[in-house]
Amino acid sequence: MLNWLNVISAFSSVSRQAGALQQCCDALERLPNIVNAGVLMLSEDSKSLVPFGWHGRLPAWQVADLTQPFTRSIRQNKVIKLSHSDRLYWQDSQEFAQFAFSLDSRATLVVQPLDNLAGAIPGLLVMEVQQGDNEWLAGDDFLTMTQILANHLTLLQRLDRQIASRKTLSQDVQALQNKACEQEKYHQLERILIGDTAQIEQLRKHISKAAQSSLSVLIQGETGTGKDLVAKAIHQLSPCSNKQLIIINCAAIPENLLESELFGYQAGAFSGALKAKSGLIKEADGGTLFLDEIGDMPLPLQAKLLRVIEDGKFRPLGSTQEESASFRLICATHVHLKQRVEEGEFRRDLFYRISQFPILCPSLRERKGDLLPISQHLIQLFNQQQQRQVQGIRYAALNKLNEHHFPGNIRELKNVIEFACAHTCDFEEIALDALPQLETETTESSVVNTPTSEQALCTFEGVNDLKAAIQEYERQLIKRRLNQYHGDRGKAALSLGLPKRTLAHKCQRLEITVE
């Protein structure tokens, strides 16, 4: 007599449906005359029969397919026993014919519905039974075993659905928490980047997206537009916000010291290197490295930086051992970096590597609608820092600010507001006469705020942007030398100690024409 108790014990001790089905099939296959055993479970939408057991060789079946016996068995709740000759009647289904061909010609295919106590049929028990004493197929013990299996599977299905429901609920709760967290971070961003115009709103969206990616960010914009604030905001909103943000201004450190600051050095690497020091790249490991004014980085150092970005390897000065670092890279520049690439002053491969996620900071003149909220914010900062009570700004003063071009952008506006606050009494608003003298021109000369003639260059009163002034001086000198040689670039380049190609690039960049 077959020991059905062992079969029941095997599958009833497992608390997950897939495991219980596998245990049941394994236990059945250990019984005499049973070659293969499997279960076909109804899918949640009741459109298909999903196979378990049978050593992975039992196909899935569509319930709507009436050309195979499994659909008839589950629809009619009827046991089907198919001998080799009986299986020949089901040859209309090519898939069933292939399955039947894999069976022993002397074996019987038994398809037994699993009928639970509620009258539902969660699936079918499928067995390949050899010839012999198989009276147990009609016995009460076998039917009892199938009913217990059906009830257990029904219970496990219910438990699985509850687990899936809890998991979905947990995911929904987590999604809501993530959304609330992102909204809170976005509100923080609104407090950092003040304004309501479309330009600043788009900038905030770009920052949010950049923070959630691992791409290298290149922030471009005029001086004073808040590129450093954008970089800090990206770091604070990113997954590595709990790590360090390492900041280095490539224009503020001499060229001969910049490499040692970035990569570090070993003791004795150069005169004065009494002990080893780790570089900023190593300190940024796991966090964020912010390279401000990267457009001023020397070409030889650009090549070394490129290698660090590509494979995370670098070598400190004086060291024979390579070190590694993994960090999020953010770069910023006020120069037109792509133009520097065309002029050969910045590596093209490095440009594309650092500008995977470009962000442009709009100038203040592009977002004049934000003048009032920014001014109010700057007044609040002044009051907090100076323990003052300036109440705001009058419309006449605000209109005056609107007429100004603000070549220094937010940084210039901050100086203007602080000056005006210093000339305003507590509990009063900034009046027109409290503002410093402002230029109201919107010509190109007022944009760069540098002299545009040779006489202006001879006097230094008008210079408030050294780089632009030097550029203007270079343009005037090259222009005069070209006129001297009647437009002959070869002679002009030779007289200036420049290659002819370099002079041609400078003429193109500085928009120089021969008179």
Side-chain angles (χ1 to χ4, degrees):
M1 184 173 179
L2 298 179
N3 192 345
W4 296 112
L5 186 59
N6 289 341
V7 178
I8 294 171
S9 177
F11 65 73
S12 62
S13 62
V14 183
S15 60
R16 297 306 297 269
Q17 178 177 284
L21 289 171
Q22 189 61 54
Q23 288 291 335
C24 177
C25 295
D26 292 345
L28 286 172
E29 290 176 355
R30 287 194 292 268
L31 297 178
N33 298 337
I34 300 180
V35 180
N36 286 306
V39 177
L40 293 172
M41 294 295 295
L42 267 176
S43 62
E44 287 192 22
D45 58 8
S46 299
K47 292 183 178 181
S48 60
L49 291 166
V50 182
F52 293 89
W54 209 282
H55 307 289
R57 301 196 304 272
L58 185 63
W61 308 92
Q62 297 300 313
V63 175
D65 181 12
L66 301 177
T67 63
Q68 39 83 10
F70 305 109
T71 294
R72 176 173 296 184
S73 176
I74 200 166
R75 286 191 173 188
Q76 297 179 355
N77 192 11
K78 179 181 178 182
V79 180
I80 295 180
K81 301 175 184 177
L82 301 176
S83 65
H84 177 69
S85 58
D86 294 330
R87 295 194 290 269
L88 297 178
Y89 290 103
W90 296 91
Q91 298 301 304
D92 290 344
S93 171
Q94 184 177 1
E95 190 173 15
F96 180 77
Q98 292 176 350
F99 172 67
F101 181 76
S102 66
L103 303 177
D104 190 334
S105 60
R106 296 164 296 177
T108 300
L109 180 66
V110 180
V111 183
Q112 172 73 45
L114 298 173
D115 190 357
N116 62 20
L117 291 173
I121 305 175
L124 299 169
L125 178 62
V126 184
M127 296 180 293
E128 182 182 2
V129 183
Q130 290 180 337
Q131 293 179 349
D133 183 9
N134 294 324
E135 295 297 326
W136 54 268
L137 289 171
D140 291 338
D141 290 342
F142 173 67
L143 295 177
T144 300
M145 185 278 296
T146 60
Q147 192 172 63
I148 293 174
L149 176 60
N151 291 333
H152 188 60
L153 293 177
T154 302
L155 175 62
L156 293 182
Q157 278 184 332
R158 190 178 300 118
L159 290 174
D160 284 349
R161 288 182 185 130
Q162 289 177 354
I163 292 172
S165 178
R166 290 194 193 100
K167 185 177 180 180
T168 301
L169 181 61
S170 176
Q171 290 173 343
D172 291 342
V173 171
Q174 186 64 47
L176 288 174
Q177 290 175 344
N178 292 342
K179 186 175 181 181
C181 182
E182 292 206 1
Q183 287 177 342
E184 174 58 28
K185 288 182 178 180
Y186 194 80
H187 291 327
Q188 292 176 7
L189 198 55
E190 289 178 327
R191 293 190 286 270
I192 296 173
L193 298 173
I194 310 298
D196 304 311
T197 57
Q199 291 88 343
I200 198 67
E201 180 69 21
Q202 184 179 36
L203 177 60
R204 285 194 286 256
K205 289 180 179 178
H206 286 167
I207 291 172
S208 297
K209 291 180 180 178
Q212 300 309 312
S213 76
S214 59
L215 300 177
S216 298
V217 178
L218 176 62
I219 307 168
Q220 298 184 91
E222 297 178 9
T223 299
T225 52
K227 297 185 291 295
D228 56 335
L229 289 179
V230 172
K232 292 175 183 177
I234 292 173
H235 172 73
Q236 291 169 1
L237 296 178
S238 71
C240 59
S241 58
N242 59 336
K243 302 292 185 178
Q244 286 198 88
L245 169 64
I246 303 299
I247 303 174
I248 182 169
N249 190 319
C250 300
I253 301 177
E255 180 177 341
N256 59 332
L257 297 179
L258 184 57
E259 182 176 358
S260 62
E261 284 292 317
L262 279 174
F263 300 102
Y265 53 83
Q266 294 294 314
F270 50 85
S271 177
L274 302 179
K275 60 180 181 179
K277 179 184 176 183
S278 62
L280 297 179
I281 287 178
K282 188 65 177 179
E283 292 181 18
D285 189 21
T288 302
L289 179 65
F290 174 38
L291 299 179
D292 199 6
E293 298 301 347
I294 193 172
D296 294 320
M297 179 175 284
L299 276 170
L301 197 54
Q302 292 176 25
K304 296 184 178 181
L305 176 62
L306 179 63
R307 181 168 182 256
V308 179
I309 297 173
E310 288 182 339
D311 57 22
K313 302 291 185 181
F314 67 96
R315 183 175 296 173
L317 292 179
S319 175
T320 58
Q321 299 294 324
E322 284 193 335
E323 297 184 13
S324 61
S326 176
F327 51 84
R328 171 70 181 278
L329 180 65
I330 302 176
C331 301
T333 181
H334 74 282
V335 301
H336 195 305
L337 206 54
K338 200 163 188 178
Q339 183 176 335
R340 287 285 180 92
V341 172
E342 299 301 326
E343 294 169 354
E345 297 177 6
F346 198 87
R347 291 181 64 104
R348 188 180 300 273
D349 47 6
L350 180 59
F351 170 75
Y352 288 117
R353 193 63 182 81
I354 66 174
S355 61
Q356 293 174 329
F357 199 120
I359 292 180
L360 180 63
C361 291
S363 64
L364 185 56
R365 59 183 172 274
E366 294 177 279
R367 42 184 292 233
K368 284 293 186 71
D370 291 330
L371 262 176
L372 178 58
I374 295 174
S375 299
Q376 292 172 333
H377 175 70
L378 293 173
I379 292 170
Q380 290 177 0
L381 288 179
F382 179 85
N383 288 335
Q384 292 172 5
Q385 294 168 358
Q386 303 296 326
Q387 302 298 310
R388 294 285 308 278
Q389 295 290 331
V390 179
Q391 295 300 298
I393 184 168
R394 295 181 182 178
Y395 284 114
L398 186 64
N399 289 337
K400 182 68 174 178
L401 294 180
N402 269 298
E403 294 173 0
H404 184 50
H405 202 69
F406 282 105
N409 294 289
I410 307 296
R411 187 176 291 118
E412 181 184 359
L413 176 62
K414 185 175 185 290
N415 291 339
V416 170
I417 293 297
E418 288 178 346
F419 177 91
C421 285
H423 289 77
T424 303
C425 296
D426 284 348
F427 307 106
E428 291 185 3
E429 295 180 327
I430 295 174
L432 180 61
D433 58 2
L435 295 176
Q437 186 175 1
L438 299 171
E439 297 289 341
T440 58
E441 300 177 1
T442 57
T443 60
E444 183 180 353
S445 61
S446 68
V447 172
V448 296
N449 212 7
T450 56
T452 57
S453 67
E454 288 178 286
Q455 289 138 343
L457 286 172
C458 293
T459 61
F460 303 100
E461 289 78 11
V463 176
N464 58 13
D465 187 330
L466 179 61
K467 185 172 289 189
I470 293 173
Q471 185 178 14
E472 180 63 20
Y473 178 80
E474 185 180 28
R475 190 178 73 83
Q476 294 289 350
L477 178 60
I478 293 175
K479 188 175 180 180
R480 172 179 286 186
R481 197 60 58 91
L482 284 170
N483 287 331
Q484 178 181 344
Y485 290 99
H486 308 289
D488 190 329
R489 288 186 176 180
K491 293 181 179 179
L494 184 63
S495 69
L496 292 171
L498 296 174
K500 184 178 179 181
R501 185 175 180 181
T502 301
L503 182 65
H505 279 306
K506 289 182 178 293
C507 289
Q508 183 180 7
R509 175 168 62 88
L510 299 172
E511 298 180 354
I512 297 175
T513 56
V514 181
E515 298 176 354

